[in-house]
Amino acid sequence: MSIAPAARAGHELFIYYRALPEHAAALTEAAHRMQGALCVAQPGLAARLLHRPEPRDGLQTWMEVYVLPAEVDAVQTAAAIEHAANAALAPWLASARHVEHFTTCAS
């Protein structure tokens, strides 16, 4: 599932974690539902879900990408994403979620 990009990106969040390959279908479904709800709740938010195709050490690496519009509070939105993820994804995670926050460079 890919949700349309935000009109004016201000911040991007890259969140990665690991999961067992046999949990891929359930994790994908739960993450897509969660991201869809977040995008409805926060107009202009865009979300993607990625994973490495090959497992490493028996685990797949997953990444959520969020593009936040310039006018939203990045700290508050990141907290909402983490809260939603803790509720929706916890049963399938085999590692902690690592959050990387980047800001858009001026062109």
Side-chain angles (χ1 to χ4, degrees), residues 18-83:
R18 301 182 82 198
L20 290 168
E22 56 264 31
H23 293 161
L27 179 58
T28 299
E29 182 179 333
H32 281 165
R33 264 196 324 270
M34 175 195 73
Q35 288 181 323
L38 286 164
C39 289
V40 167
Q42 177 65 62
L45 180 68
R48 292 188 312 150
L49 180 67
L50 310 166
H51 73 86
R52 282 198 178 115
E54 74 287 339
R56 291 188 185 169
D57 301 323
L59 297 171
Q60 283 182 316
T61 302
W62 292 76
M63 181 170 296
E64 297 165 34
V65 180
Y66 296 92
V67 180
L68 290 62
E71 62 274 4
V72 304
D73 181 323
V75 173
Q76 184 179 24
T77 303
I81 291 168
E82 279 307 298
H83 178 74

